[in-house]
Amino acid sequence: MNRRMMRSGVIATVAALAMVPTLAFAHSCPHPAPGRHVAHQGASPTTATRAHGRVTTPNGFDLNVRSGPGTGYRVVGTARDGSVQSLRCRTNGSSVRGNERWYRLSHHRGYVSAHYVHVFGALPWCRVLGS
């Protein structure tokens, strides 16, 4: 009986400790406030442009490229369905079908909703100017 209680206690402790790094990581991720976003300071242009994303829109429609990370920003261009875009950084913005993540494009000042882009490679968080 004591061995069974001891084993159950050890298993419960290991399971509880296994959750600690996950919870710590979830709270350590930066969540930038709305504002003017730029790539992380100190990130060289070569490391900032390593990530790419493939545009995947329903029915082959073009994806709107916006001036900021949200649907309330004006449309400054489009990206074709299936095209591969070079991405600079990621940030949070208005929700698109439950996804608040937005990606800043490397080649010009514009953002696309992460709901319609499948990313290849690591992508840093955007930094808000003035913070």
Side-chain angles (χ1 to χ4, degrees), residues 3-97:
R3 280 189 187 175
R4 185 177 297 165
M5 288 178 53
M6 179 79 119
R7 190 178 308 153
S8 297
V10 170
I11 291 172
T13 303
V14 169
L17 290 175
M19 293 300 293
V20 172
T22 305
L23 295 174
F25 177 76
H27 292 299
S28 68
C29 291
H31 298 285
R36 189 167 165 209
H37 299 81
V38 296
H40 273 292
Q41 187 175 14
S44 69
T46 55
T47 58
T49 60
R50 283 190 185 159
H52 292 80
R54 180 174 306 278
V55 175
T56 55
T57 58
N59 301 322
F61 290 118
D62 288 348
L63 178 62
N64 287 334
V65 176
R66 297 189 176 268
S67 62
T71 55
Y73 291 89
R74 66 186 171 85
V75 175
V76 295
T78 58
R80 290 195 179 275
D81 180 47
S83 66
V84 175
Q85 302 293 318
S86 179
L87 305 173
R88 181 170 300 209
C89 60
R90 61 186 166 154
T91 189
N92 289 330
S94 65
S95 178
V96 174
R97 298 192 181 267

